[in-house]
Each structure stands twice: as structure tokens, then as C-alpha cells.
Amino acid sequence: MGRERYDVIVIGAGVIGSALAMALAERRKRPLVVDIDLSGRLSSSEKNAGGVRATWWQPVNIALCRASIRYYETVASEVTFRQKGYLWLYDAEAWPKALDHLEVQRSLDHPIETLSAGEVHARVPEIDRLEGIAGATFSPRDGLINPNLLKNHYRERSRTLGAEYLDGVYIYAIQAEPGSQVKLECWRAEGPLSDSSLMRMMTQDGPGEAETGHLMDLRADAVVIAGGAWSSRVLELLGLRDFSEPIRRQISVVDNRDTNLAAYGMIVDTSGLYFHNEGPHILAGYSPPEEPPGYHFKYDGERFFQDEIWPRMYARMTCCERLRHVTGWAGLYSVTPDRSAIVGRAAPRVYEAHSFSGRGVMQSYGAAQALAGLIADGRYPDSLDAGALSRERFASGRMVREELHI
Ligand SMILES: Cc1cc2nc3c(=O)[nH]c(=O)nc-3n(C[C@H](O)[C@H](O)[C@H](O)COP(=O)(O)OP(=O)(O)OC[C@H]3O[C@@H](n4cnc5c(N)ncnc54)[C@H](O)[C@@H]3O)c2cc1C
């Protein structure tokens, strides 16, 4: 560790914290990013589906994703950004809502076309069971990215510009100090944390007696809370209200020798199932609506595949009859009442960027550039105003509601 006082300390080195480090360093703010586990074993950034789209309903969500997409296009080969589009199938109930939002999506310069069920089949012949498809949209500029390569890109570029990263650090107290500084009281692990120690700390209440570490203080002019689904714990240290809850989401990787979806990007079914080609396999996710909140990481394995994934895939594509479960995992969404992220100033010298639900990878660049502007210049960049995502919206009732595939 180089210093004990920094311009900005970012708590959390997931895709959001790493993107922030890059955006701050680009503005000549030298950030320190701290994380209990830089490798991200439990972080959502290591558990997601890699989908990138700007077809949201709210202008601020569209704008942040669109800014990200434009950036990913410039580093496409490095982060394997494949613009093969999002094909989204709607049932009769959802289709009018989708149509209602086309205008705002197009007005923000994000191309999107509509398709009939027959046109869906013509475009993706594997989709041969068309029952219940009232209409579909295809957005060609959207696609898939490798989230790990993206996070590494942010980290490498930020390091080049002077950012530092500190591993094995857990924040257990934050105080504003006289002289415009913020003091972070930290616990630092003596050595690598085992999987079981990390799981215990992150599903219960931080480091316990079983973990060996020492205490230390860090100081900065400003702090950013980018702790993903654990941001609520950090906010509590400041006596700030949290509005989000962690919710488990599961993904299965399946094998189907009869199908090759490599030509397509993300496909979202009327049933809520989403899937895309993943190397020799298919990656498929589904979010059961009844999932209870909590720090739950257990993947239900074969049972999840048999109950949730296979029936939906086979109901849409005959070629998926012989689908076989390979592996899978569970990670956390952090979800607010209106299902949009919280970005902005949380308290004097304290900023926040968390609760991105299923949108953190695709919003990481845009959200980080916006917030870094606010921190460095005192206002959002003209082209990227994230003011609608501030925590004040919950008190004022100016919600930023997203409904489909939050
Ligand atoms: C199954 C699934 C599918 C998804 N699919 C997509 C998708 O297709 N596209 C998309 O854009 N998004 C998707 N997401 C959402 C996306 O992964 C998240 O929104 C994003 O990764 C959040 O990034 P983050 O940096 O905020 O949080 P995280 O990646 O969770 O990082 C937070 C970090 O903070 C650290 N931390 C927390 N508290 C402390 C503390 N007190 N002290 C020290 N360190 C701390 C943690 O160790 C962690 O590394 C998906 C998520 C899941 C679970």
C-alpha cells in the first residue's frame, strides 16, 4: 500500500468499483479501491450472464447503457463485445407495454425493430414453437460481453492512470473528520481468505474471531460505496437508510448437441427465460418471482434445471428436447423498490453506486463516468445526467420504474 490518504476511496472492486476507479483516474483523481476479495468469488460481477442492452423503459437507464455500449464498441475485441442483438419475445399482456416504450428507446438513438412470431421463426429457425408469442423486438446494437474481461480492462486502465487496489480489506466503520476528510476503519486479512471464511463473512456479519487480521485506518477526501449487494451494510455504518435487498439469481449451463445458437445474441422468452450461446454450451437463466431476499448462494443444480430451465427451453424449441445439465451457479441481484440503481451523493463527502439489479455490467461505464463527473467537477457531465437515480427519489416519490427483467 502506497499511502494512507487518498483523493477518493472506492469500497468494492466489482465491475462498478473498477469502472469508477478508471473514470476517477481519467479525471486526475487518484483512487484507492478496497475489497475483501479482489478475485470476486461471491461478487455479482463474477456471476452474471454478460448481457448488454439499452432497451430499458426509463430514459436514464437507456442513456447509461447507451453510453456503455458506445464505449464497449471501442474496446470490443479486448472485452469480446459481440453485437449480435437482443431478441425479445413478448406475450399478449407484455406486448402493448413493449410497444409503448419503443418511441423513447428510438428517440434516444437506440435502434430497435418489431417482429411477428413468423418473422421470429424466419430469423431464428430453432424457435419453432410459436405459441403465445404476440410480438417480438430485435435490437441489433445490443449483445454479449465477457464481464471478467471488462472488469480487468477497467482495472488495468485505472492502474495505468494511478489507481491502487487493496485486497483483503473489510470496512467496519466510517467517520467524517474535521478538515474535510473521511476516515475508514478497516480490518485487513493476514493472508488469503479461504472460501468458507469469505462465505461466513459475507453472509453473516463481517470478520469474526476465526479470521486473523489486523486493524488499520484509511483517509480520503471522499468515499464511494460500490459494495454491490453488501452496500446496505456500509450505508448502515453511516446511519443511512438502505432501500435495496439482495436476491438470489441462478444460471444453468446446458449442453445440447442438436443446437448451435452461436449466430445469435441474447434471446429472452415470453416465459422469462433468457439464454445465449456460451462456447460449446448454452447459458440459461430464470428468476423465479417467489425467491426470498437474503444472502443465499446455493445453486439448486439439476433440480433448478429440471424445474425451471428445461421445460421453458423445450416449450419454445423442439431441438432442445435432449438438453443436458452441465453446471451452474447462484449470485446476487441487489434490488430497489423501483428496480433501478442508486447513484449519487449519499451524505457529505460520501457517494454511492449500487443496487444495479440485472444491469450492472451494461451500466458500469455510463454510471461510473456520470458519478466520477459529479465527484470531480461537482456536477454530472452534460451528456450523462444520472440525477434521476439519486436516493432522494424514494422520499420525493419520483420513482424510476423498470418492470420487465429487472
Ligand atoms: C445471475 C445473474 C445474472 C446477471 N446478468 C446480468 C447481465 O446479463 N447483464 C448485466 O449488466 N448485469 C447482470 N447481472 C447483474 C450484475 O452482475 C451486477 O449488477 C453487477 O455485477 C454489480 O456489480 P457491483 O460492482 O455493484 O457489485 P459486485 O460485483 O457484487 O462487487 C461488490 C464488491 O464489494 C465488495 N464488498 C462489499 N462490501 C464490502 C466491505 N464492507 N468491505 C470490503 N469489500 C466489500 C465485495 O467483496 C464485492 O467484490 C446479473 C447478476 C446475476 C447474479
Side-chain angles (χ1 to χ4, degrees), residues 161-192:
L161 296 170
E164 293 176 48
Y165 287 77
L166 202 55
D167 196 11
V169 174
Y170 190 87
I171 309 302
Y172 69 85
I174 307 183
Q175 285 165 25
E177 287 195 322
S180 305
Q181 292 271 308
V182 188
K183 181 171 90 167
L184 301 186
E185 296 176 12
C186 317
W187 176 92
R188 184 152 198 214
E190 296 294 356

Side-chain angles (χ1 to χ4, degrees), residues 12 14-16 35-36 44-45 48-49 51 169 171 228 357-362:
V15 72
I16 298 295
D35 201 301
I36 187 61
S44 305
S45 302
N48 64 79
V169 174
I171 309 302
S357 188
R359 217 175 293 127
V361 174
M362 57 185 96

Side-chain angles (χ1 to χ4, degrees), residues 10-18 34-53 56 65 72 86 143-145 147 151 155 166 168-172 187 198 202 225-234 237 247-251 266 274 276 283 285-287 329-334 353-364 406:
V10 180
I11 303 171
V15 72
I16 298 295
S18 303
V34 296
D35 201 301
I36 187 61
D37 176 39
L38 269 189
S39 71
R41 278 169 283 175
L42 297 177
S43 74
S44 305
S45 302
E46 294 287 316
K47 311 272 187 189
N48 64 79
V52 173
R53 66 179 169 106
W56 297 97
C65 289
Y72 302 157
Y86 254 68
L144 303 167
I145 204 165
K151 189 174 72 175
R155 286 188 183 175
L166 202 55
V169 174
Y170 190 87
I171 309 302
Y172 69 85
W187 176 92
L198 183 68
M202 300 311 271
I225 300 167
W230 296 273
S231 297
S232 52
R233 294 183 176 182
V234 184
L237 301 174
I247 299 184
R248 178 180 69 155
R249 295 296 185 222
Q250 301 185 72
I251 282 180
M266 184 78 88
Y274 61 89
H276 63 76
L283 182 153
Y286 176 72
S287 307
W329 58 84
L332 297 176
Y333 270 26
S334 178
H354 55 84
S355 305
F356 284 85
S357 188
R359 217 175 293 127
V361 174
M362 57 185 96
Q363 290 200 322
S364 58
I406 54 174

Side-chain angles (χ1 to χ4, degrees), residues 137-392:
T137 56
F138 182 71
S139 42
R141 217 167 163 178
D142 297 338
L144 303 167
I145 204 165
N146 182 319
N148 308 101
L149 291 179
L150 178 65
K151 189 174 72 175
N152 286 345
H153 166 81
Y154 291 143
R155 286 188 183 175
E156 275 173 32
R157 182 160 156 73
S158 64
R159 282 190 172 112
T160 310
L161 296 170
E164 293 176 48
Y165 287 77
L166 202 55
D167 196 11
V169 174
Y170 190 87
I171 309 302
Y172 69 85
I174 307 183
Q175 285 165 25
E177 287 195 322
S180 305
Q181 292 271 308
V182 188
K183 181 171 90 167
L184 301 186
E185 296 176 12
C186 317
W187 176 92
R188 184 152 198 214
E190 296 294 356
L193 283 169
S194 65
D195 289 352
S196 57
S197 277
L198 183 68
M199 183 64 84
R200 201 201 61 72
M201 289 172 68
M202 300 311 271
T203 54
Q204 296 175 32
D205 49 2
E209 285 177 5
E211 285 83 38
T212 48
H214 61 270
L215 305 182
M216 64 182 209
D217 294 343
L218 293 167
R219 288 180 171 79
D221 296 337
V223 168
V224 188
I225 300 167
W230 296 273
S231 297
S232 52
R233 294 183 176 182
V234 184
L235 290 162
E236 263 172 33
L237 301 174
L238 289 152
L240 287 169
R241 180 155 171 223
D242 175 45
F243 296 94
S244 39
E245 28 183 44
I247 299 184
R248 178 180 69 155
R249 295 296 185 222
Q250 301 185 72
I251 282 180
S252 294
V253 175
V254 300
D255 187 33
N256 184 9
R257 271 158 252 151
D258 303 330
T259 315
N260 185 347
L261 302 177
Y264 318 120
M266 184 78 88
I267 300 175
V268 186
D269 184 41
T270 52
S271 65
L273 176 86
Y274 61 89
F275 56 95
H276 63 76
N277 189 75
E278 181 79 357
H281 300 127
I282 299 170
L283 182 153
Y286 176 72
S287 307
E290 67 280 6
E291 185 75 38
Y295 291 103
H296 305 137
F297 284 93
K298 185 176 163 294
Y299 172 56
D300 291 337
E302 189 73 31
R303 187 159 63 83
F304 180 69
F305 166 71
Q306 290 290 349
D307 292 352
E308 310 290 6
I309 302 297
W310 183 79
R312 290 181 170 83
M313 298 224 36
Y314 182 50
R316 193 52 77 208
M317 301 188 287
T318 314
C319 61
C320 287
E321 186 177 6
R322 294 194 303 149
L323 222 53
R324 196 172 56 86
H325 180 238
V326 176
T327 184
W329 58 84
L332 297 176
Y333 270 26
S334 178
V335 183
T336 59
D338 62 5
R339 299 160 180 147
S340 287
I342 302 179
V343 177
R345 205 177 74 112
R349 300 197 294 281
V350 179
Y351 299 83
E352 61 188 334
H354 55 84
S355 305
F356 284 85
S357 188
R359 217 175 293 127
V361 174
M362 57 185 96
Q363 290 200 322
S364 58
Y365 179 83
Q369 291 292 326
L371 187 57
L374 182 68
I375 296 169
D377 308 326
R379 60 182 179 81
Y380 285 116
D382 291 338
S383 58
L384 216 49
D385 186 343
L389 296 178
S390 81
R391 63 171 41 237
E392 275 87 53

